[in-house]
Amino acid sequence: MSSAPAFIDVSEQAQAEELLEYYESRGQKLAVTVADNGMSTVVHALAEHCGICLRSSDEDSLATMTSIFSLFHMVPPHELGTVVLNICKQIGSEITEKNAKFRFALLKTLFSIIEDGHTAHRADVWLHMLLVARKGNFLRLVTTDPAEVQKNFESWKCSTDKQQHALRSLHDILQETGKTSSATDALVLLLSMYTNPGTAQAREDAKKCILDSIREPKTYLFDRLLRLPAVQQMKDDALFKLLNIFVSGTFSDFIDFNNANKSFVEESGLDASKCEHKMRLLTFVSLAAAAAAGEVSFATMKQDLSLETDEDAEMLVLDAIRAR
């Protein structure tokens, strides 16, 4: 049998046996049978090795994959997650510009047939849809707004670990595609989920979130990070001190920190000159808020912000206006 099997009024057992024959005809003999191993084991094997189906034409691939999907009810509920994840991994592998849209459509079909009561598995499918869409350059077809994604996770009743794993992947993809502000939002959501913020993973996520926020050109408010328990666990870290400077410090505080922690800023992947510029803007806003009528003289700006000329001060004012 070299063409995709067609199932017309056959039992699930006969359908599974025909699928096994089809796999063998494609060069993938599976060492299981319905009679010897039972339907659940066979469906597991079909899912784990379904990559063989994806090497056929799109029409045949769709037929065989859809028939595998139709056997999900033969798997015990507590094992269904493994089956779904194995299929997702196979569909999401070896993505090319040519096959990306078809693979994405398969994942959409898989997503749509996951029934109520098993909705947590939708998170795995969504994540692989995200990865395929990124590789195929059609990310617009997937929900990527972190707040919307979290709402979906909650409605799907996903575990915290699964949500955090997905949010890390979302962060990385948003970062790669230049959506840096949304990428930081994904990390903030991730950090807010920690019930044990003292773990090594929580510390690593917190570090990444702080650095992303400092690096993000449009981020000037950092208070929300300090409220996160995972960030509070970093009080012994120089990065926490740097974050506090961006929250409530001054330009001169940053210069003092940079001088006292030689190479720390650069080794953390930050651009010292961009950090200086952001701190100048933040300090200027603080000066304006504290000044009578909100007016700050160029002389004060040059002194407190280490600016050389009135023109430098004027340019900083313009940058502050653009950053509002």
Side-chain angles (χ1 to χ4, degrees), residues 221-263:
L221 297 176
F222 300 89
D223 305 62
R224 64 174 180 167
L225 301 187
L226 286 179
R227 293 192 290 268
L228 295 168
V231 172
Q232 286 293 323
Q233 291 289 321
M234 296 184 63
K235 285 184 177 179
D236 60 336
D237 196 295
L239 187 57
F240 184 83
K241 184 174 182 180
L242 179 60
L243 173 63
N244 268 287
I245 291 173
F246 277 89
V247 170
S248 57
T250 65
F251 175 75
S252 62
D253 291 332
F254 174 76
I255 296 301
D256 290 343
F257 173 88
N258 203 24
N259 290 334
N261 298 271
K262 293 296 185 183
S263 74

Side-chain angles (χ1 to χ4, degrees), residues 23 36 99 105 110 183-184 200 243 254 267 269:
Y23 274 49
D36 293 339
N99 69 21
L110 176 57
T184 302
L243 173 63
F254 174 76
E267 288 177 359

Side-chain angles (χ1 to χ4, degrees), residues 1-5 7 13-30 32 42 46:
M1 183 190 300
S2 59
S3 60
F7 307 105
Q13 290 75 12
Q15 181 178 341
E17 291 290 1
E18 287 195 37
L19 281 167
L20 290 172
E21 290 179 23
Y22 176 69
Y23 274 49
E24 185 173 358
S25 73
R26 301 291 299 175
Q28 182 75 63
K29 181 176 175 58
L30 303 182
V32 294
V42 170
L46 291 170

Side-chain angles (χ1 to χ4, degrees), residues 10 21 27 38-39 62 117 121 134 143 145 159 163 167 170 177 189 192-193 212 232 236 242 256 277 279 319:
V10 298
E21 290 179 23
M39 281 295 292
L62 179 60
H121 306 319
R134 171 68 183 105
T143 300
D145 177 75
S159 68
Q163 292 185 51
L167 285 169
L170 177 61
T177 53
L189 285 175
S192 69
M193 296 177 185
D212 275 6
Q232 286 293 323
D236 60 336
L242 179 60
D256 290 343
H277 184 65
M279 280 307 306
D319 286 345

Side-chain angles (χ1 to χ4, degrees), residues 220-221 278-291 294 296 301 305 316 320-321 323-324:
Y220 292 94
L221 297 176
K278 181 175 280 194
M279 280 307 306
R280 280 192 172 100
L281 290 173
L282 289 169
T283 304
F284 167 67
V285 171
S286 296
L287 289 171
V296 183
M301 290 179 64
L305 306 179
L316 188 72
I321 293 171
R324 289 181 61 183

